[in-house]
Amino acid sequence: MARPDPVPTQLERDLAELKLLEIAKCYREVLDEAARKGSSMLEILATLIGLEQTVRQQRALERRLREARLPKRKTLAEYDFNFPKKIPKTAIVRLFDCDFIGRQGCAVLIGPTGTGKSHILTALGYTACERGYSVRYTRVVEMLNHLTTAQINGRLAKALKSYVRPQLLLLDELGYLPIDKRGADLLFQVVAARYETGSIVLTTNRPFREWGTLFDVDNTLATALIDRLMHHGEALVIKGDSYRMKDKPQDPPSA
């Protein structure tokens, strides 16, 4: 027969009301250990507060990671800086200090498919979450599809908030699919709303000179986007072949 759960004491109820749930859970063990060691009241208090703080920090991190909607975890240590033919390693590593987020800075990673731009973006997202920043990751096309649907249904303002509110917005894979006039306007709304209020890091396979054709031959909008991203940002250009193709055998020469 299962033993019934113990009835909470008044102290435990008071701690729960104060939302000091970890202290309520473990204070008996801490007091028992302190009695064995002869710890002072100050040491006991420091231990209890430390346990509560650790649990809260872990829960907050887990919440930030859920809200970020990041892909499978990547780390900067896993990225092979020796593979690309050219890469601004110092500037990329500097991004991981996350100092640019406090300054509402931006960055655009430009390079061919397979050079690890999404890997860097994902790793940066995890690092920023661990440093206490709110993050949102999305592929550009998925964001525009979401915003388009919201606009059609009269819920655009609410949908925009999910991309404007986080301290760091990670936009992946701009340029892989064409963007129509509506999509271009929605992308501009996101970038303009975050200008000097929140950071954006974006990956693209298109150099800036091709952005006009990407946005339905709208050079004015492309220029406005680039201007806002680069005013407090930098372009990080990666050159090289696709990492995914590095082990693929080369076709034999034709006779």
Side-chain angles (χ1 to χ4, degrees):
M1 182 176 180
R3 298 175 62 183
D5 293 335
V7 177
T9 66
Q10 183 60 48
L11 175 59
E12 289 168 344
R13 289 194 292 270
D14 290 343
L15 288 170
E17 187 174 343
L18 293 170
K19 301 189 184 302
L20 299 173
L21 302 180
E22 188 63 19
I23 292 178
K25 176 182 174 183
C26 66
Y27 79 93
R28 292 177 184 271
E29 296 176 16
V30 172
L31 289 176
D32 289 345
E33 182 68 17
R36 286 193 295 270
K37 292 182 176 180
S39 303
S40 68
M41 290 302 297
L42 185 60
E43 289 171 330
I44 294 170
L45 183 60
T47 298
L48 290 170
I49 292 174
L51 290 169
E52 184 72 35
Q53 182 181 29
T54 298
V55 169
R56 289 191 178 196
Q57 288 175 340
Q58 182 60 32
R59 288 173 182 163
L61 173 58
E62 291 169 358
R63 183 182 66 252
R64 288 193 297 274
L65 289 171
R66 284 195 306 272
E67 294 173 350
R69 304 185 186 186
L70 290 158
K72 182 180 177 182
R73 189 180 187 95
K74 302 287 186 183
T75 68
L76 184 63
E78 295 169 339
Y79 185 80
D80 184 2
F81 279 98
N82 294 318
F83 184 77
K85 295 178 180 177
K86 183 178 180 182
I87 184 168
K89 181 177 179 179
T90 300
I92 288 173
V93 171
R94 190 169 60 242
L95 283 179
F96 284 74
D97 293 337
C98 294
D99 293 340
F100 74 99
I101 301 174
R103 301 192 303 270
Q104 293 81 48
C106 298
V108 179
L109 301 175
I110 305 171
T113 298
T115 49
K117 302 182 301 298
S118 295
H119 180 128
I120 294 169
L121 195 72
T122 301
L124 179 60
Y126 279 97
T127 298
C129 285
E130 289 164 356
R131 288 177 177 261
Y133 294 102
S134 57
V135 177
R136 177 65 190 274
Y137 166 92
T138 180
R139 293 180 176 86
V140 171
V141 170
E142 291 174 357
M143 180 184 73
L144 296 182
N145 287 341
H146 175 211
L147 292 177
T148 297
T149 301
Q151 187 177 52
I152 292 170
N153 294 325
R155 297 195 297 267
L156 179 59
K158 181 179 179 181
L160 278 170
K161 287 181 181 178
S162 64
Y163 303 106
V164 174
R165 187 182 298 118
Q167 293 167 289
L168 174 62
L169 177 64
L170 303 174
L171 297 177
D172 204 7
E173 298 181 350
L174 174 68
Y176 290 87
L177 292 172
I179 297 175
D180 61 15
K181 180 65 166 60
R182 185 200 292 267
D185 290 342
L186 290 169
L187 178 59
F188 179 78
Q189 286 191 54
V190 172
V191 173
R194 294 187 61 86
Y195 176 59
E196 295 191 325
T197 65
S199 294
I200 295 175
V201 179
L202 180 150
T203 72
T204 179
N205 63 338
R206 301 288 196 94
F208 287 146
R209 65 178 179 275
E210 295 180 9
W211 280 27
T213 56
L214 175 63
F215 300 123
D216 198 24
V217 199
D218 191 336
N219 290 312
T220 300
L221 186 143
T223 300
L225 279 171
I226 295 167
D227 181 63
R228 284 161 175 77
L229 290 168
M230 290 294 96
H231 183 204
H232 302 294
E234 57 183 333
L236 307 176
V237 179
I238 303 173
K239 296 182 179 180
D241 301 318
S242 173
Y243 189 83
R244 302 182 190 96
M245 303 296 289
K246 69 183 181 67
D247 297 322
K248 183 178 180 181
Q250 298 294 318
D251 293 332
S254 57

